[in-house]
């Protein structure tokens, strides 16, 4: 898979998420994908496979009214890709708007994004990916 194909796949993943198409989003990842919550979250978890990741994404849709992510930058280099995102939504319970910078760092193997790590800081994500400053 070329870098352009990988970029299109990752952009498709975020577009599907924004539509609420969780199954369509995770279908763009390999069946054995592993995803890790941001390490600084108090209850950080690891999600195994498409089903595990889909469950985590559904939880976001349950917690927020119409959550969205904007892809601000997408960088690919060697066996890493990083998506710099702005995530936003309105809390279902209290209606409080939330907006946060998020970086998704993907490990790429044979052109496939096989692992995703979440960081609540663009700079940290770029450092982890080894793909330069923001």
């Amino acid at each position: 898979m070329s870098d352009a194909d990988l970029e299109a796949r990752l952009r498709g993943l975020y577009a599907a998420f924004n539509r609420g198409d969780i199954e369509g989003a995770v279908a763009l990842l390999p069946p054995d994908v592993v995803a890790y919550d941001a390490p600084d979250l108090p209850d950080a978890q690891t999600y195994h496979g498409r089903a595990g990741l889909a469950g985590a994404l559904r939880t976001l849709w349950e917690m927020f009214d119409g959550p969205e992510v904007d892809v601000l930058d997408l960088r690919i280099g060697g066996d890493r890709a990083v998506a710099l995102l702005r995530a936003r939504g309105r809390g279902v319970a209290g209606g409080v708007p939330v907006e946060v910078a998020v970086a998704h760092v993907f490990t790429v193997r044979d052109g496939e994004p096989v692992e995703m790590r979440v960081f609540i800081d663009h700079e940290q994500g770029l450092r982890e990916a080894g793909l330069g400053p923001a």
Side-chain angles (χ1 to χ4, degrees):
M1 174 181 300
S2 71
D3 287 355
D5 291 338
L6 177 59
E7 179 175 346
R9 179 184 283 195
L10 294 177
R11 288 186 184 278
L13 181 151
Y14 297 116
F17 174 81
N18 286 342
R19 292 191 306 271
D21 181 7
I22 303 303
E23 297 306 319
V26 298
L28 293 169
L29 298 171
D32 57 348
V33 66
V34 178
Y36 299 88
D37 278 337
D40 44 354
L41 291 178
D43 191 23
Q45 297 186 34
T46 302
Y47 307 97
H48 296 275
R50 289 177 181 158
L53 182 55
L57 296 178
R58 276 191 216 92
T59 298
L60 286 174
W61 271 88
E62 292 167 2
M63 293 172 53
F64 294 97
D65 182 25
E68 289 186 51
V69 292
D70 296 321
V71 179
L72 304 176
D73 194 7
L74 186 59
R75 299 180 191 185
I76 299 170
D79 67 345
R80 296 275 194 241
V82 63
L84 302 180
L85 311 167
R86 178 178 48 237
R88 64 182 183 281
R90 184 173 298 277
V92 172
V96 176
V98 175
E99 185 170 309
V100 63
V102 177
H104 289 169
V105 176
F106 295 89
T107 299
V108 179
R109 193 171 305 122
D110 298 325
E112 295 281 331
V114 297
E115 179 183 282
M116 181 181 83
R117 293 185 181 269
V118 178
F119 297 93
I120 311 296
D121 177 89
H122 287 173
E123 293 296 330
Q124 185 181 11
L126 287 166
R127 278 192 309 275
E128 291 290 326
L131 293 175

